[in-house]
Amino acid sequence: MKDLINILDLSISDIDELIKVATDIKAHPTKYADACRGKTLATLFFEPSTRTRLSFEAAMYGLGGNVLGFADGGRMSSASKGETVSDTARIVSIYADIIAMRHHIEGAPLAAGLAARVPVINAGDGGHFHPTQTLADLLTISSECGRLNNLTIGICGDLKYGRTVHSLIAAMSRYQNIRFILISPASLALPEYVIREMNAAGIEYVQTTSLTKYMSELDVLYMTRVQKERFDADELAQDDGEGYILNNETLSTAKPEMRILHPLPRVDEIAVEVDRDPRAKYFEQAEYGKFIRMALILRLLYSSGKDESIKTLKAETKCPNDRCIVAVEPEIERHAYLAPDGKLRCLYCDAALE
Ligand code: CP
């Protein structure tokens, strides 16, 4: 594996190994203090970030390496002059040994990975995927619950645009005896392609609009914020500002051992009073994020091999997703793959091709 674009690029045993290394780094940080001496990480961020960018940078400094990059690529990089994602990645791979990219365009990190000669990590692409957040989530669940199997996981909030949700469901669907309680208004329910994948994998799930109805059954409650920045004009017009709020009252029937996660930032979906509840683990989750990113950097820098997991076909047809990089950069080479549902799908964003 050269790049990490989708959490499914990693097998369960890859994830077990990353969790093992991250746990060792957390316990013995000095052992790893020179592991990346002389190596450079580039953080190319075209969307705002606090945790992901700074935890990547803290991770590389913690490994003794160097960091360069930009936090506001749309304004501060030559993308503002029209340079493509592919050219940007090609150039940066002259200056850095590994790249972490966040972009508002779905598929942009994959395009970067195809052009760069160094590993590229997807640090979030539009509403599509956020695999390193999922690694942080898996390390948190594994460390705090003691297992990744036999869990009932409630996911609440914006399931439509929440890229952390899509990656978490994809990852957890590979473990044994996982049941999802999917809590959202109908307008922010999971995209159809995620539901289809859960059905194909035989995953048990319930879709509900109630935050409290299944609370007593949950082992993990994963709260998310509503991503209004991804709403289209119709969605903004219909938005009434009403949302879910987790507080001491809505938590009253939860198990004592339930764990509350949130990828953060929160807006108002978790009341500050919940921060004092021992079940609240969202700040620890951000700390776990640094250790798992350290483990991932080590893995991508020091394990060899090209990515064999991505099989591509040339696609003659256009991608119908106007948020995909193929729509934004029409000159980009088109790639597709044959999905388990028999449809030809865009490799960059997973939309079915006509
Ligand atoms: N969880 C997460 O991706 O946070 P940032 O947007 O602050 O990076």
Side-chain angles (χ1 to χ4, degrees), residues 48-52 102 130 133 263-265:
S49 168
T50 296
R51 273 147 296 275
T52 310
R102 170 170 288 189
H130 193 350
Q133 178 63 50
L264 303 177

Short mmCIF file of all heavy atoms in Angstrom, two decimals, residues 48-52 102 130 133 263-265, ligand 1:
data_model
loop_
_atom_site.label_atom_id
_atom_site.label_comp_id
_atom_site.label_asym_id
_atom_site.label_seq_id
_atom_site.Cartn_x
_atom_site.Cartn_y
_atom_site.Cartn_z
N PRO A 48 -10.49 24.14 6.28
CA PRO A 48 -10.07 24.40 7.66
C PRO A 48 -9.89 23.13 8.47
O PRO A 48 -10.56 22.12 8.23
CB PRO A 48 -11.23 25.23 8.23
CG PRO A 48 -11.94 25.79 7.05
CD PRO A 48 -11.77 24.79 5.94
N SER A 49 -9.00 23.19 9.44
CA SER A 49 -8.75 22.05 10.32
C SER A 49 -8.02 22.55 11.57
O SER A 49 -7.17 23.43 11.47
CB SER A 49 -7.89 21.01 9.61
OG SER A 49 -7.43 20.03 10.54
N THR A 50 -8.34 21.97 12.69
CA THR A 50 -7.52 22.15 13.91
C THR A 50 -6.85 20.82 14.24
O THR A 50 -5.62 20.70 14.21
CB THR A 50 -8.40 22.63 15.09
OG1 THR A 50 -8.91 23.92 14.78
CG2 THR A 50 -7.57 22.72 16.38
N ARG A 51 -7.66 19.80 14.54
CA ARG A 51 -7.11 18.52 15.01
C ARG A 51 -6.28 17.78 13.97
O ARG A 51 -5.17 17.30 14.26
CB ARG A 51 -8.25 17.56 15.42
CG ARG A 51 -8.73 17.69 16.82
CD ARG A 51 -10.20 17.39 16.86
NE ARG A 51 -10.88 18.39 16.07
CZ ARG A 51 -11.25 19.57 16.56
NH1 ARG A 51 -11.09 19.82 17.81
NH2 ARG A 51 -11.80 20.50 15.79
N THR A 52 -6.81 17.63 12.78
CA THR A 52 -6.15 16.73 11.83
C THR A 52 -4.80 17.29 11.43
O THR A 52 -3.78 16.59 11.48
CB THR A 52 -7.06 16.51 10.60
OG1 THR A 52 -8.35 16.14 11.06
CG2 THR A 52 -6.50 15.42 9.71
N ARG A 102 -5.89 17.53 2.85
CA ARG A 102 -7.34 17.71 3.03
C ARG A 102 -7.82 18.61 1.91
O ARG A 102 -7.20 19.63 1.59
CB ARG A 102 -7.65 18.36 4.38
CG ARG A 102 -9.12 18.77 4.49
CD ARG A 102 -9.51 19.19 5.88
NE ARG A 102 -9.57 18.05 6.78
CZ ARG A 102 -10.05 18.11 8.01
NH1 ARG A 102 -10.50 19.26 8.48
NH2 ARG A 102 -10.08 17.04 8.78
N HIS A 130 -12.74 10.13 5.53
CA HIS A 130 -11.78 10.73 6.47
C HIS A 130 -11.12 9.56 7.22
O HIS A 130 -11.37 9.34 8.39
CB HIS A 130 -12.52 11.67 7.42
CG HIS A 130 -11.65 12.57 8.24
ND1 HIS A 130 -10.26 12.44 8.32
CD2 HIS A 130 -11.96 13.63 9.04
CE1 HIS A 130 -9.79 13.37 9.12
NE2 HIS A 130 -10.79 14.11 9.58
N GLN A 133 -9.32 9.91 10.71
CA GLN A 133 -10.24 10.09 11.84
C GLN A 133 -10.77 8.73 12.27
O GLN A 133 -10.89 8.43 13.45
CB GLN A 133 -11.40 11.02 11.46
CG GLN A 133 -12.41 11.22 12.57
CD GLN A 133 -11.80 11.89 13.80
OE1 GLN A 133 -11.13 12.91 13.69
NE2 GLN A 133 -12.01 11.32 14.99
N PRO A 263 -15.98 13.32 16.62
CA PRO A 263 -14.73 13.66 15.94
C PRO A 263 -14.29 15.10 16.22
O PRO A 263 -13.12 15.43 16.02
CB PRO A 263 -15.06 13.44 14.45
CG PRO A 263 -16.56 13.57 14.36
CD PRO A 263 -17.09 13.08 15.68
N LEU A 264 -15.23 15.94 16.66
CA LEU A 264 -15.00 17.37 16.92
C LEU A 264 -14.64 18.08 15.60
O LEU A 264 -14.13 17.42 14.69
CB LEU A 264 -13.92 17.59 17.98
CG LEU A 264 -14.20 16.90 19.35
CD1 LEU A 264 -13.02 17.14 20.30
CD2 LEU A 264 -15.50 17.39 19.97
N PRO A 265 -14.88 19.34 15.41
CA PRO A 265 -15.38 20.25 16.43
C PRO A 265 -16.87 20.04 16.72
O PRO A 265 -17.62 19.64 15.83
CB PRO A 265 -15.17 21.63 15.78
CG PRO A 265 -15.27 21.37 14.31
CD PRO A 265 -14.69 20.01 14.10
N1 CP B 1 -12.03 15.76 13.43
C1 CP B 1 -11.50 16.61 12.54
O1 CP B 1 -11.30 16.29 11.36
O2 CP B 1 -11.21 17.85 13.06
P1 CP B 1 -10.56 19.05 12.26
O3 CP B 1 -11.56 19.46 11.18
O4 CP B 1 -10.33 20.13 13.27
O5 CP B 1 -9.30 18.55 11.62
#
